[in-house]
């Protein structure tokens, strides 16, 4: 496979070498946030001490509702507005998108909370308004803020960019790698690690400005997402015994099926890679039981899965207002859809807060159709042919 890439024209070769290069500054991050090798190279005979999972008693709820409805509260963030371009949006430069003056309509908020702050960004006002909304909300309603982060650049992102989406979907995404790089349960690239390092610095800055600290953290079980959370929060919260450890949640993962980058490692391997994390109750042992090598998960089923993930998070603990989620591009699109948010694509390592109205109902949710999935498309050209 390596010869197929090397025999391409000089421009493509230089591009690949650039994307796979390892700058000195990134080597320091790799050393500090040591991570295990790709799953195929792990010694699975012994996982050492596995981190605990959420106990059954912790996971059991005495909920009094049958379904939950979500709707986005617009007017706090630029990413809520239809004119904001997600391709040029910079979550760091824009203070996570927080508007200087909130544009809230039809909400019962104490009047003094709507006075614009004299300083930017107005996180103190934001927290005050969220508190007021919860104070004045009916008994079956809560307001939550989800900090939704996408993982940094992964080796699968590099491969798709190099081969092009068509050849990636029809051939290369079905393989574990190309002889030069591996992307099964894809890890972060050196560039991806440096991207996430910027998010770490950005969070420190916004916390100094008064941004709310999440009260609970959840991540997809895929390595690139968990590693992103680890780097982002490593020296902010993960080094503290007083703050809850991140919870690995199965349903937050990327679209399932066909692509090996979305086939997660076994629980044993995940435990070895992220020993300070906690598994949700019932996280399956052994290799990935949900990945299908033939069929791709339908979009409707994915959206329902992501909504169910949030339902389960709130069933686990509905008392938390500020919740951190780390996941993937397509999964985040489904999550935003479940929240009634406008479509908004995040760049690698991007993050947006979303304020959400949560309404608990005694009525069961109507059944939904999962739709039909898909299989890998047929290649229209030889995917291994050298570039001309």
């Amino acid at each position: 496979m390596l010869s197929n890439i090397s025999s391409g024209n000089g421009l493509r070769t230089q591009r690949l070498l650039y994307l796979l290069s390892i700058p000195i500054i990134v080597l320091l991050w790799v050393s500090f946030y040591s991570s295990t090798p790709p799953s195929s190279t792990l010694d699975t005979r012994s996982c050492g001490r596995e981190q605990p999972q959420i106990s059954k008693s912790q996971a059991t709820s005495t909920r009094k509702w049958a379904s939950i409805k979500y709707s986005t509260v617009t007017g706090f963030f630029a990413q809520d507005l239809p004119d904001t371009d997600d391709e040029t949006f910079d979550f760091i430069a824009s203070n996570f998108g927080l508007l200087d003056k909130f544009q809230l309509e039809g909400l019962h908020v104490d009047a003094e909370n709507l006075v614009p702050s004299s300083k930017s960004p107005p996180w103190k006002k934001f927290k005050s308004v969220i508190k007021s909304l919860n104070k004045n909300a009916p008994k079956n309603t809560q307001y939550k803020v989800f900090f939704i982060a996408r993982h940094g650049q992964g080796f699968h992102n590099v491969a798709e960019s190099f081969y092009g989406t068509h050849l990636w979907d029809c051939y290369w995404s079905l393989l574990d790698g190309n002889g030069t790089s591996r992307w099964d349960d894809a890890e972060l690239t050196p560039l991806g690690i440096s991207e996430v390092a910027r998010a770490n610095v950005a969070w420190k800055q916004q916390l100094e400005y008064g941004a709310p600290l999440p009260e609970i953290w959840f991540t997809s079980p895929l390595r690139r997402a968990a590693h992103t959370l680890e780097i982002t929060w490593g020296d902010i919260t993960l080094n503290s015994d007083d703050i809850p450890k991140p919870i690995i949640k199965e349903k937050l993962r990327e679209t399932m099926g066909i692509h090996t980058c979305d086939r997660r490692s076994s629980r044993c391997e995940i435990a070895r890679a992220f020993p300070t994390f906690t598994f949700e109750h019932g996280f399956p042992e052994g290799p990935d039981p949900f990945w299908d090598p033939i069929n791709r998960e339908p979009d409707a089923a994915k959206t329902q899965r992501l909504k169910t993930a949030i339902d389960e998070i709130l069933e686990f603990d509905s008392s938390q207002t500020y919740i951190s989620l780390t996941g993937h591009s397509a999964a985040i699109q489904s999550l935003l859809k479940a929240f009634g948010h406008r479509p908004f694509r995040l760049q690698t390592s991007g993050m947006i807060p979303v304020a959400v109205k949560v309404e608990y109902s005694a009525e069961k949710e109507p059944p939904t159709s999962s739709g039909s999935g898909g299989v890998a498309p047929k290649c229209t050209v030889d995917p291994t042919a050298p570039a001309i």
Side-chain angles (χ1 to χ4, degrees):
M1 298 298 181
L2 180 59
S3 62
N4 291 329
I5 295 178
S6 300
S7 60
N9 60 48
L11 179 61
R12 293 183 70 194
T13 302
Q14 290 177 9
R15 182 184 179 193
L16 181 62
L17 290 175
Y18 169 76
L19 289 172
L20 299 182
S21 64
I22 306 179
I24 296 296
I25 187 172
V26 174
L27 281 174
L28 294 176
W29 277 100
V30 174
S31 174
F32 186 76
Y33 291 104
S34 59
S35 134
T36 56
S39 58
S40 61
T41 65
L42 285 170
D43 178 3
T44 58
R45 291 171 296 180
S46 174
C47 283
R49 182 184 66 83
E50 277 199 34
Q51 64 271 62
Q53 71 171 2
I54 300 299
S55 68
K56 184 175 181 180
S57 60
Q58 288 175 298
T60 301
S61 169
T62 57
R63 69 178 189 178
K64 299 179 180 180
W65 64 85
S67 63
I68 307 177
K69 177 184 176 182
Y70 302 100
S71 55
T72 297
V73 181
T74 61
F76 290 118
F77 299 103
Q79 54 266 28
D80 302 338
L81 308 179
D83 294 336
T84 302
D85 186 347
D86 55 7
E87 292 187 2
T88 59
F89 177 77
D90 186 334
F91 82 101
I92 294 177
S94 65
N95 299 310
F96 298 170
L98 187 67
L99 298 172
D100 292 332
K101 185 176 180 180
F102 305 149
Q103 304 171 18
L104 306 178
E105 296 181 3
L107 294 176
H108 187 181
V109 180
D110 295 337
E112 63 269 19
N113 291 319
L114 294 178
V115 178
S117 172
S118 59
K119 296 182 180 180
S120 180
W123 286 113
K124 184 177 179 180
K125 285 293 180 186
F126 173 75
K127 291 185 291 188
S128 183
V129 171
I130 294 297
K131 182 177 180 180
S132 176
L133 287 173
N134 278 312
K135 173 185 174 182
N136 295 309
K139 289 185 178 181
N140 71 325
T141 301
Q142 292 179 318
Y143 290 86
K144 308 287 185 182
V145 179
F146 293 90
F147 293 97
I148 305 172
R150 183 187 175 190
H151 62 78
Q153 183 197 64
F155 282 98
H156 65 306
N157 299 128
V158 175
E160 181 176 0
S161 178
F162 178 77
Y163 291 113
T165 298
H166 173 65
L167 293 183
W168 170 254
D169 286 341
C170 75
Y171 181 78
W172 291 104
S173 66
L174 283 65
L175 307 181
D176 289 349
N178 60 10
T180 300
S181 172
R182 295 190 67 94
W183 50 72
D184 51 323
D185 193 1
E187 246 292 10
L188 298 178
T189 66
L191 176 58
I193 291 174
S194 65
E195 287 177 339
V196 180
R198 291 179 64 241
N200 167 269
V201 174
W203 260 110
K204 291 175 181 175
Q205 183 64 70
Q206 294 303 317
L207 289 171
E208 288 186 7
Y209 288 153
L213 181 72
E215 299 163 282
I216 193 166
W217 289 259
F218 293 89
T219 181
S220 154
L222 294 171
R223 292 168 55 86
R224 56 193 182 271
H227 197 184
T228 293
L229 189 155
E230 183 181 49
I231 296 174
T232 303
W233 295 98
D235 60 353
I236 300 176
T237 60
L238 298 188
N239 56 356
S240 173
D241 294 332
D242 299 327
I243 296 179
K245 300 305 180 185
I247 299 172
I248 299 169
K249 186 158 188 62
E250 186 82 82
K251 288 187 176 72
L252 290 180
R253 60 192 292 176
E254 183 60 298
T255 311
M256 296 186 290
I258 301 182
H259 295 190
T260 61
C261 59
D262 301 327
R263 184 187 66 215
R264 70 163 171 79
S265 301
S266 69
R267 173 173 171 157
C268 172
E269 293 163 339
I270 298 170
R272 289 184 58 188
F274 305 100
T276 62
F277 289 23
T278 301
F279 286 106
E280 67 177 332
H281 176 72
F283 192 93
E285 301 282 355
D288 190 347
F290 302 109
W291 183 79
D292 186 331
I294 305 298
N295 299 295
R296 193 75 167 155
E297 182 181 24
D299 287 342
K302 180 175 55 185
T303 298
Q304 184 59 45
R305 167 169 62 86
L306 269 296
K307 180 187 181 300
T308 301
I310 304 303
D311 291 352
E312 292 175 354
I313 286 173
L314 297 185
E315 181 177 351
F316 168 68
D317 187 351
S318 63
S319 67
Q320 311 294 359
T321 298
Y322 300 102
I323 301 168
S324 171
L325 307 172
T326 304
H328 311 266
S329 178
I332 290 172
Q333 293 310 302
S334 292
L335 186 59
L336 293 178
K337 185 176 182 179
F339 285 158
H341 192 280
R342 57 158 290 199
F344 198 90
R345 292 195 175 277
L346 273 64
Q347 306 299 319
T348 52
S349 82
M351 190 282 297
I352 57 171
V354 178
V356 177
K357 181 180 181 181
V358 180
E359 297 175 276
Y360 303 94
S361 174
E363 298 181 3
K364 291 185 177 181
E365 191 171 347
T368 58
S369 173
S370 62
S372 58
V375 298
K378 292 184 179 180
C379 293
T380 57
V381 295
D382 181 0
T384 65
I388 299 176

